Structures are given as structure tokens and as C-alpha cells.
Amino acid sequence: EGQIYLPEVNRALMVACIVVVLVFRTSSSMAAAYGIAVTGTMAITTVLFFVVARRWWGTARAALVCGVMLAIDVAFLGSNLGKLATGGWVPLAVAAAMLAMMTTWKDGRARVARFLRDRSRPLDAFLDEVDAEEPYRVKGTAVFMTSTQSGTPPVLLHHYRHNQVLHQQVADPGVSGEKREP
């Protein structure tokens, strides 16, 4: 319940699994990749647990507990580093590709947000313009979603600029408590 099913993701995972089986051919040759993947996951999980535990226990106690766990995880990871040449590079390559995709996505979202923020107008200035021009109002309610709580939603500006009309009621669920309505 509440999960999103995307068949394309399942198909991509199926293709990736088939490729891995065809490349490694036997389960014994997959052992190196498995060892690096598991021990790397353990170390990363310990670091993430530290971030959460620091809030609950404080930095000193969280560092003590997580430091012991991380020392064990790093020892296991270090013992598996010799397997990099025999297949251990595969999970590292997959992790690097995923990291590149996630950081690119995050950077792209930040650039789009900055682009929209730079082209946004103060809400009061837009409302003053609407009051002065008294545009034609069409029946119904228009909802303009926004991710920021400052400025006029860019979609509203675009709609108003190109259609030169406003609905009788205009709502912006991203901003609560506004005193004026266009």
C-alpha cells in the first residue's frame, strides 16, 4: 500500500541481473563482488546510523558506539579490497554510476529552483498589477503549485502573461496565510 509500481524499473533490474550472471558465469566468481558490496554497505550503514544516533544519544556516545562498529566494518572491507581485480570493481562501478546520477539530479534540481526563483516576482507587486489592470475573470478555481513560499508562482505568471485572464479564485497551496488574493 502506498508503493509506486514502475514496470520499467523491474525490467531494468531483470536485464541488469541477466548481464551480471552472463558476465560472472559462476557464483564463485561473483563472491568478490558480493564481498565488496556487503562490507561496503555495512560501513555506509554505520556512518548513516551515526548521523541518526547523534541526535538521540549525543555526539560522544554515538561516536563511541559507531566507532567500534565502523572499526569492525572497515576491517572487513579492507580484507576484501584484494578482490577488486577479480570482480570487486563491479559494485564500486555501480555505486559510482548511482552517485553520479544522484548528484547530477540534485544539482539540476537546485539549478532549476534557482532559475525559477530568479525569474519570480514579489507577490505584492503581482497583486498590485492585477488590481491596476483588473483582468477578465473566468469561472472556476485555478490552483498553482509552488515549491517556495516567496514570490509569485512562475506558472501563475506564465498563465497570466499568455492568457491575460485569471480564474475567479486562484489558490497557491505552497503559501499559507496570504492576506491578498489575485
Side-chain angles (χ1 to χ4, degrees):
E1 185 176 319
Q3 298 294 316
I4 297 173
Y5 173 70
L6 299 171
E8 295 82 10
V9 173
N10 281 2
R11 288 186 195 107
L13 287 172
M14 176 193 70
V15 169
C17 288
I18 290 170
V19 167
V20 166
V21 168
L22 291 175
V23 167
F24 284 107
R25 296 191 182 150
T26 65
S27 58
S28 60
S29 18
M30 290 174 72
Y34 181 76
I36 295 284
V38 169
T39 56
T41 300
M42 289 168 50
I44 291 169
T45 303
T46 300
V47 171
L48 293 175
F49 177 68
F50 170 74
V51 171
V52 173
R54 188 177 58 186
R55 291 183 183 171
W56 292 337
W57 301 338
T59 303
R61 195 156 119 192
L64 179 67
V65 171
C66 293
V68 171
M69 292 178 1
L70 190 60
I72 295 168
D73 294 341
V74 169
F76 280 130
L77 182 60
S79 68
N80 279 304
L81 288 180
K83 300 176 181 178
L84 280 175
T86 60
W89 60 270
V90 173
L92 296 179
V94 170
M98 295 299 293
L99 178 65
M101 283 193 306
M102 290 189 303
T103 54
T104 302
W105 181 275
K106 184 180 179 200
D107 183 51
R109 298 256 323 174
R111 287 180 184 204
V112 167
R114 190 170 46 252
F115 175 83
L116 293 175
R117 185 179 59 245
D118 292 346
R119 280 148 186 82
S120 181
R121 292 179 50 201
L123 187 58
D124 287 334
F126 176 71
L127 294 175
D128 290 340
E129 178 185 334
V130 168
D131 287 342
E133 292 181 7
E134 296 181 8
Y136 181 76
R137 298 286 191 145
V138 294
K139 289 183 181 180
T141 301
V143 177
F144 295 97
M145 306 295 278
T146 182
S147 59
T148 64
Q149 293 189 0
S150 62
T152 307
V155 176
L156 173 57
L157 291 173
H158 179 80
H159 173 76
Y160 182 66
R161 188 177 314 123
H162 292 284
N163 297 328
Q164 286 124 22
V165 296
L166 285 175
H167 287 75
Q168 287 174 334
Q169 296 178 2
V170 179
D172 176 7
V175 180
S176 58
E178 289 295 329
K179 295 180 180 96
R180 296 174 64 184
E181 184 176 309

